[in-house]
Amino acid sequence: MQGLVNLVNDLALAMAWLLPMACYIAAWIAFLTGAWGLWQQRQPQNPFVGRPWVPWIGIVLSGVFATFDRILTKSTTSAGLDTQVSLGASVTGYTDAATGSVISGTGPEDAILSIVSDFALFFEMFGAWAAFMAVVAWNASATGKTNRSKLSCLIQFVFGVILLNPVKEATWILSHWTTSG
């Protein structure tokens, strides 16, 4: 199992390396399309007739993407998870499972918590990417590029934030696990 944990953690580190790049690229794209949209509103061939808010969404979302780590940190604080999200070099400070660690404990709850803690970095990065893609999907929904509802984007963002602290969530779920003694 240690090989699988190492593989998944390496994938999570790759995701952690790509997410800041994706955030900054999305911030530039949103800013440039927002600025272009504001310029186009003064032109006779305005593509945003009847939708004057579309360029402003791009300008605001450029700030959202540029400060995405702080937005995720504030979201986790609001959810009561108290997780500090940092996009950059500090993400690579993860240490893998102890060599020779065995799944043991007093029951299946301990085994599940051990597995979740071994794969925690992947869950965290998957949650951050899910939240990022929820914001991208919300932008597409708000600008009329997709028929996806804004509520589904909000739900996706909430579940992405929940995944940012998988051990705490797994502990909470397992606290409702009925044990027979």
Side-chain angles (χ1 to χ4, degrees):
M1 179 154 149
Q2 187 63 39
L4 178 63
V5 170
N6 289 340
L7 172 70
V8 170
N9 285 333
D10 288 342
L11 289 173
L13 288 175
M15 291 166 56
W17 184 78
L18 291 172
L19 185 59
M21 182 180 64
C23 286
Y24 289 128
I25 289 172
W28 272 107
I29 290 172
F31 179 77
L32 291 175
T33 57
W36 176 81
L38 289 175
W39 179 69
Q40 285 294 314
Q41 288 194 351
R42 305 289 289 172
Q43 305 300 322
Q45 73 278 9
N46 179 10
F48 303 114
V49 174
R51 299 180 303 157
W53 64 87
V54 171
W56 294 105
I57 289 175
I59 299 291
V60 170
L61 282 181
S62 69
V64 168
F65 288 129
T67 60
F68 195 65
D69 56 344
R70 284 170 262 168
I71 288 175
L72 285 181
T73 299
K74 291 179 187 299
S75 299
T76 59
T77 303
S78 297
L81 299 176
D82 297 328
T83 303
Q84 292 287 29
V85 179
S86 173
L87 301 179
S90 63
V91 175
T92 61
Y94 176 77
T95 57
D96 62 352
T99 307
S101 66
V102 203
I103 297 177
S104 63
T106 59
E109 293 91 359
D110 292 334
I112 291 171
L113 283 177
S114 175
I115 291 169
V116 168
S117 64
D118 282 346
F119 292 100
L121 183 62
F122 179 78
F123 288 131
E124 291 167 4
M125 290 315 305
F126 185 79
W129 272 98
F132 172 76
M133 294 309 287
V135 175
V136 170
W138 182 85
N139 181 31
S141 174
T143 58
K145 295 176 184 164
T146 183
N147 287 333
R148 185 170 174 185
S149 74
K150 293 169 191 65
L151 180 62
S152 69
C153 298
L154 177 67
I155 291 171
Q156 179 181 345
F157 185 83
V158 167
F159 280 114
V161 168
I162 288 171
L163 277 176
L164 291 174
N165 197 342
V167 176
K168 185 173 183 177
E169 298 304 325
T171 304
W172 178 78
I173 290 170
L174 292 173
S175 70
H176 299 335
W177 190 303
T178 57
T179 59
S180 58

